[in-house]
Amino acid sequence: MEVVALVSGGKDSCFAMMRCLDYGHKVVALANLIPLDDAVDELDSYMYQTVGHQIVVSYAKCMGLPLFRRRIRGSTRDQGLKYNVTAGDEVEDMFALLSEVKRQIPSISAVSSGAIASDYQRLRVESVCSRLGLVSLAYLWKQDQTLLLEEMMRRGIVAITVKVAAMGLKPSSHLGKELAELKCHLLQMNESYGINVCGEGGEYETLTLDCPLFRNARIILDDSEVILHSADSIASVGILHPLAFHLEHKPDSSDRIRVSADSQESSSLLYEVDEGIAHTDVEEKQTLSPAPTVDAYTNIDLCISKTGKNLLSIGCWIQDPSNASEGLKEDLVAVLSRIDNQLKEEGLGWVNVLYVHLYISSMKEFGLANEVYVSFITEKKCYLGVPSRSTIELPLVQAGLGKAYVEVLVSNELVKRVLHVQSISCWAPSCIGPYSQATLYGEILYMAGQLGLDPPTMKLCPGGPMAELELALQNSEAVASAFSCSIYYSAIHFLVYCSSHLTSDEREEVEQTLQSSYITRLDCSKTGSYPTVLYVFAPDLPKGALVEIKPILYVPTNNDEVATREMESGVPQPALSKAWSDWGAQYSDLHDSCCQIHIIGGRICSAVVSITSEIASKICSTAKQLDYSEEHLKVLARFCVFQLAKILVDNKFSWDSIKMLRFYYSVEHSVAADVMSHAFSVAFTVLAENNSSLQIDGVPPYNIVPVSGSGRSACMNDILTFELLASIV
C-alpha cells in the first residue's frame, strides 16, 4: 500500500515508517499538525516556534518526500475515549489534513502513526481513517517498550530528548541527550518508578536527527537553550528549545545546507493545508446508506429462537426445504431485518448486541454478506462498541435453511467493554469494520473467531492447519491479555472450527497440536476443571483458512479468585419429574461417556454433549439398525434434552441462566433441519409439561445448526452435539 505518515518529529513516528517499509508498504508523503501559537499547553507548542517547525519541515528534504502541514484550529472538545465526530475538535483538523493528502495523492490507501499504548490516540486516527476509507497502520501498537527502544537504536534511529517531565529525569542532566546515552538510565527509572521507557506516559519527548529513512541528509543541531517550566524537586519539567540547525548531506548528496533561525525555508516540498473541513464521498456513503428493509421479501418463511432472559440469544433462519432462495443478499436482509424487529419488540437495539454468529451458504459471497451486514450494524448504532463476530460457511442450503443464518447474543443492560482495534499492527489481527476483537460482559469475555493470520501482513501463515492453529492461539492470547486474562488459565469453552477438507491425518494432527500447545499448558488451579472443547467442521472458513478458534474466557471482577455464588432466592430451579428421571435412568451409564462439563464457582456452566453413532445405537437399542427415522430422531432429541436438564439440575442452574444453546447435527445423514427441529420441539414440549420453570411459548429456546461434522475430538463425527453456556452473572 502507498502510505502517508503522520510525523511529529519524534522517534516513534519515524520508526513506525521504517516498520511500514519492513512489511512491504511505500511511504509516499508526510503529514504534520502544528499546535496553535497560543496553545493551552505551552510546552507542546514551543517546538513549533521559531526553529522547531523548520526542523520538522526539513524531514521532507531528508527523505525526499512531500510534507503536508496544517495548523490546528480546533481544541479537545470530545474528551471521551471513543471519538464521536465533533465540530471544532482538533481531530477534525487531522481529518482536513489527510483529506487534502488523499485529494492530491489518490493512490494513498493507508496512514502510519507511532501509537504504542495510547487508546485515545489510536482511536482518533482510526476514526479519521474510517471516514476517509483509509487503513490505519500502527506497527508499534502494544509492543514491549524495552525491546522497542532497543530495536530503534539498533536500527539507526538517532533521537535526542527535547522534553523531560518525570521522576528521575532532570532538565539539566538529560535534555539534549541521545537515547543511546539514556538507555540504561531509562531502564533503571522503569524499575524504580515504573516510567515508560519509550515515554508513552509523557515522561519525555524526542526529536529525531537521523534515521535510515533520511537518505539525503541528517540534521545537525547547532544551538539550543533549556527552558525550565517547573523546578519541582521531585519531577522538574523542562524543554530543549532549538535555536539553529543545519542539514548535513549524506555521501551521495551535494554540499551541506545551513539553516538558521531567521532563514527562509524551502517550500518546494511543503504543502500548507488551510482549507475548511468538508465531508468526503466515503463519509457521505457511510452516513446516507440506510439498512435495507424486509418488505420486498415477505414471502420468505422466517424462524426465530430465543434463549435466556437478561442475557439472551436470538437466532433467525429461513425455513426453505424447497431451496427456493432468491440469493444470499435477499436472505440475509430478511434475517437481519427480522432480528432488528425482534430487538425492537424487546425494547432493545443493536447497541445491546454483544456477539454475532454469521452463518452463510458460501464463503465466496462473503463480500456481499459483509455489505449487507454493515448496512444494519454500524458504529453509530453501536455507540458503546460494535459486537464481536464469527463468520463461517455452513451447509445451509443442503439442510433447507436458505443461504443466511444469524445468531446474536444480547444484553438487556447497556454495560459492556469492547476491544475494537482497526489498525493493522504487530499485536493481533485487526478488525477493519463494524466487528470487534472481543466483548466483555459481566465476567465473561466473548472473543471473535481467530484465524492463523500474521498480524502485520494480515495474511494466513504458511505451514498448513497446525501452523494456523499455533498462530491463532498466539493471537487469542494477545487479545486476552488486553483484558488481563489468559486463554491458559481463564478459558470456559474452546470452540475449534476446522475445514471439512482436512484429511483424517490432518484432523488428528490438529487435535495433537491443540493438546500439546494448549491443553497441556492449562492452569486449572483457579477454576478447578478443564474448559470444554468442541470441534465443528465447516465447508469453508474466512480467507480460505483451515482452522479458526473461538475462546470464551472467564474474567473475574476481583482478578484474583473465582467468585462463588449463593443460591438465588425466588428463582425457580429446574427439576426433573419422576417420569423423566425414570426414563433417563436407563441411560445413566452413558452420561459420563458423552458429557463434558466445566463449572466455575457455581456461577458459570459450560457443557458439550456428544452423541456418536455408538451412543445413538445404544439409545435406540430397540431398533436393529439406526436409520435416522423421525422416531429415532425424537428419541435422540429427548436424550439430549434429558442430559441438558440433568446438567442444570445437578449444578443448580435455572432455565433462565442459559445464555447459549446450540444443537449441531451432521448433514451427512440427509436429515432436513425442519425435521430435526421438530424432534427437539417435541422433546422440549414434553419436558415443559412436567416442569413449570421451563417456558416455551412457541419459540424454541435453542438453535439447530447444520454442519459438516462435530465432536469433542477432531477425529469424531457425531450425529448430534450440543453446546451449552449458562451463567448466573
Side-chain angles (χ1 to χ4, degrees):
M1 290 188 288
E2 292 194 358
V3 179
V4 54
L6 291 170
V7 294
S8 61
K11 66 186 188 321
D12 300 338
S13 56
C14 287
F15 193 59
M17 284 190 282
M18 292 174 63
R19 282 277 179 90
C20 287
L21 270 60
D22 292 342
Y23 295 112
H25 305 300
K26 182 180 180 182
V27 178
V28 298
L30 308 176
N32 173 243
L33 287 167
I34 311 171
L36 287 169
D37 291 336
D38 58 350
V40 174
D41 189 340
E42 180 184 356
L43 288 180
D44 286 344
S45 65
Y46 220 121
M47 269 294 297
Y48 292 93
Q49 297 176 19
T50 61
V51 175
H53 71 283
Q54 295 177 21
I55 295 179
V56 177
V57 170
S58 69
Y59 283 13
K61 290 183 179 180
C62 293
M63 298 177 65
L65 296 176
L67 171 68
F68 292 81
R69 186 172 67 170
R70 178 182 175 88
R71 189 170 294 279
I72 295 175
R73 300 173 180 177
S75 58
T76 306
R77 296 195 175 186
D78 183 351
Q79 299 184 4
L81 181 61
K82 186 177 184 296
Y83 178 71
N84 296 300
V85 177
T86 305
D89 193 282
E90 59 188 357
V91 174
E92 298 308 302
D93 289 293
M94 186 198 307
F95 177 82
L97 174 65
L98 294 178
S99 294
E100 180 61 18
V101 176
K102 186 178 179 183
R103 188 187 70 80
Q104 293 203 33
I105 312 177
S107 59
I108 283 177
S109 56
V111 177
S112 169
S113 67
I116 297 177
S118 172
D119 282 305
Y120 187 91
Q121 177 186 354
R122 173 185 60 79
L123 287 167
R124 277 150 177 73
V125 174
E126 289 177 354
S127 173
V128 170
C129 286
S130 177
R131 293 161 62 190
L132 291 171
L134 299 171
V135 176
S136 170
L137 303 177
Y139 286 123
L140 310 189
W141 178 251
K142 291 291 185 183
Q143 298 296 285
D144 181 281
Q145 293 190 37
T146 299
L147 297 178
L148 200 55
L149 185 64
E150 291 175 348
E151 188 179 1
M152 288 180 186
M153 292 183 292
R154 178 175 57 80
R155 295 188 59 181
I157 294 277
V158 178
I160 61 171
T161 52
V162 292
K163 174 183 176 181
V164 293
M167 189 179 297
L169 293 177
K170 300 179 180 179
S172 58
S173 306
H174 301 121
L175 275 174
K177 300 292 185 182
E178 288 190 15
L179 287 181
E181 299 177 65
L182 293 177
K183 173 190 169 184
C184 293
H185 183 70
L186 290 171
L187 294 176
Q188 183 180 346
M189 292 302 99
N190 172 258
E191 291 184 8
S192 300
Y193 306 117
I195 74 166
N196 295 284
V197 294
C198 281
E200 271 297 281
E203 293 90 346
Y204 68 89
E205 293 180 7
T206 59
L207 176 66
T208 301
L209 301 180
D210 194 14
C211 76
L213 298 174
F214 291 5
R215 65 177 188 269
N216 295 329
R218 62 177 59 87
I219 298 167
I220 305 296
L221 191 60
D222 296 318
D223 193 14
S224 63
E225 65 176 337
V226 173
I227 307 295
L228 190 62
H229 184 265
S230 169
D232 189 284
S233 59
I234 298 177
S236 52
V237 180
I239 67 166
L240 187 75
H241 180 200
L243 296 176
F245 74 97
H246 68 270
L247 299 183
E248 183 177 84
H249 280 230
K250 293 186 175 179
D252 295 334
S253 301
S254 58
D255 294 337
R256 69 182 188 178
I257 302 172
R258 194 169 195 82
V259 182
S260 61
D262 58 353
S263 66
Q264 296 295 317
E265 62 191 60
S266 171
S267 60
S268 59
L269 295 172
L270 177 64
Y271 297 87
E272 297 285 358
V273 180
D274 295 322
E275 291 82 1
I277 299 169
H279 291 290
T280 66
D281 292 340
V282 173
E283 189 177 29
E284 289 178 359
K285 182 179 179 181
Q286 292 174 344
T287 304
L288 301 176
S289 178
T293 64
V294 75
D295 295 342
Y297 313 112
T298 52
N299 60 321
I300 296 177
D301 186 11
L302 294 166
C303 297
I304 200 83
S305 68
K306 183 179 172 184
T307 302
K309 193 173 182 181
N310 295 327
L311 181 64
L312 58 149
S313 173
I314 299 174
C316 186
W317 61 94
I318 295 170
Q319 205 70 45
D320 185 27
S322 62
N323 295 329
S325 169
E326 296 184 18
L328 174 65
K329 180 179 179 181
E330 290 77 8
D331 287 0
L332 187 54
V333 167
V335 166
L336 289 173
S337 295
R338 179 66 181 86
I339 291 179
D340 187 72
N341 290 336
Q342 183 69 31
L343 290 172
K344 291 175 181 175
E345 289 175 16
E346 302 280 346
L348 307 172
W350 290 106
V351 67
N352 297 89
V353 175
L354 309 177
Y355 202 99
V356 178
H357 282 90
L358 176 60
Y359 305 131
I360 56 178
S361 60
S362 173
M363 198 56 70
K364 293 178 181 178
E365 294 189 282
F366 175 80
L368 177 61
N370 212 41
E371 286 180 16
V372 175
Y373 182 90
V374 301
S375 68
F376 281 87
I377 303 172
T378 65
E379 292 194 22
K380 185 175 181 180
K381 292 179 183 177
C382 305
Y383 54 85
L384 294 180
V386 290
S388 303
R389 189 181 82 179
S390 174
T391 305
I392 62 170
E393 177 183 322
L394 289 181
L396 301 177
V397 175
Q398 188 175 344
L401 294 178
K403 295 188 174 181
Y405 183 147
V406 175
E407 181 187 342
V408 296
L409 184 66
V410 188
S411 166
N412 285 337
E413 301 175 296
L414 291 178
V415 181
K416 62 180 178 178
R417 178 185 165 196
V418 175
L419 177 66
H420 185 201
V421 179
Q422 299 185 68
S423 299
I424 294 178
S425 69
C426 299
W427 164 72
S430 63
C431 288
I432 303 174
Y435 35 92
S436 58
Q437 280 88 354
T439 300
L440 177 64
Y441 176 79
E443 296 179 331
I444 301 181
L445 181 67
Y446 303 91
M447 195 179 296
Q450 287 291 339
L451 305 176
L453 292 174
D454 177 42
T457 63
M458 291 297 289
K459 294 180 180 179
L460 278 175
C461 67
M466 286 68 74
E468 287 185 26
L469 177 57
E470 292 274 12
L471 188 50
L473 287 168
Q474 292 179 30
N475 292 337
S476 297
E477 180 65 4
V479 174
S481 65
F483 292 85
S484 301
C485 64
S486 168
I487 63 172
Y488 296 100
Y489 61 77
S490 307
I492 299 169
H493 178 60
F494 222 83
L495 177 58
V496 183
Y497 290 123
C498 296
S499 168
S500 58
H501 301 295
L502 294 182
T503 65
S504 57
D505 287 343
E506 287 175 326
R507 293 184 180 202
E508 186 174 346
E509 289 171 349
V510 165
E511 186 168 356
Q512 289 175 350
T513 299
L514 188 70
Q515 180 70 27
S516 61
S517 298
Y518 179 65
I519 303 296
T520 57
R521 296 176 58 188
L522 287 173
D523 178 2
C524 300
S525 59
K526 290 185 178 181
T527 58
S529 60
Y530 285 97
T532 50
V533 177
L534 172 63
Y535 293 88
V536 170
F537 290 89
D540 201 3
L541 300 174
K543 295 182 178 287
L546 299 173
V547 178
E548 176 181 340
I549 61 176
K550 192 176 78 67
I552 298 177
L553 307 181
Y554 173 60
V555 185
T557 53
N558 58 14
N559 290 322
D560 292 320
E561 298 179 358
V562 174
T564 56
R565 67 167 167 127
E566 298 178 358
M567 187 61 62
E568 309 105 305
S569 60
V571 176
Q573 300 299 313
L576 285 171
S577 66
K578 186 177 185 303
W580 269 81
S581 296
D582 291 344
W583 182 87
Q586 62 184 312
Y587 305 115
S588 58
D589 59 327
L590 299 180
H591 180 77
D592 291 341
S593 61
C594 70
C595 294
Q596 235 190 122
I597 304 170
H598 182 42
I599 306 294
I600 299 179
R603 298 165 59 82
I604 299 170
C605 172
S606 174
V608 171
V609 175
S610 182
I611 312 300
T612 63
S613 296
E614 181 182 356
I615 291 176
S617 296
K618 292 179 180 179
I619 296 169
C620 302
S621 57
T622 56
K624 293 182 180 179
Q625 184 177 359
L626 186 65
D627 58 10
Y628 307 104
S629 64
E630 187 173 350
E631 179 184 352
H632 283 176
L633 291 177
K634 286 181 179 179
V635 175
L636 294 177
R638 182 169 183 174
F639 177 83
C640 288
V641 173
F642 171 79
Q643 296 300 329
L644 166 65
K646 179 174 172 54
I647 291 169
L648 294 174
V649 169
D650 289 351
N651 296 284
K652 298 180 174 58
F653 284 85
S654 68
W655 289 105
D656 286 343
S657 70
I658 296 177
K659 312 305 179 191
M660 174 188 75
L661 180 58
R662 298 189 195 98
F663 292 96
Y664 298 95
Y665 80 96
S666 174
V667 296
E668 175 186 320
H669 307 296
S670 301
V671 178
D674 60 340
V675 175
M676 186 66 74
S677 183
H678 177 68
F680 277 98
S681 176
V682 171
F684 272 98
T685 299
V686 173
L687 180 63
E689 290 173 354
N690 295 276
N691 194 323
S692 59
S693 64
L694 175 58
Q695 302 290 325
I696 301 296
D697 297 329
V699 178
Y702 54 83
N703 289 297
I704 299 288
V705 183
V707 294
S708 299
S710 61
R712 292 186 295 165
S713 164
C715 300
M716 294 170 65
N717 190 6
D718 293 354
I719 294 173
L720 280 168
T721 312
F722 87 65
E723 181 185 27
L724 165 72
L725 178 67
S727 171
I728 313 297
V729 178

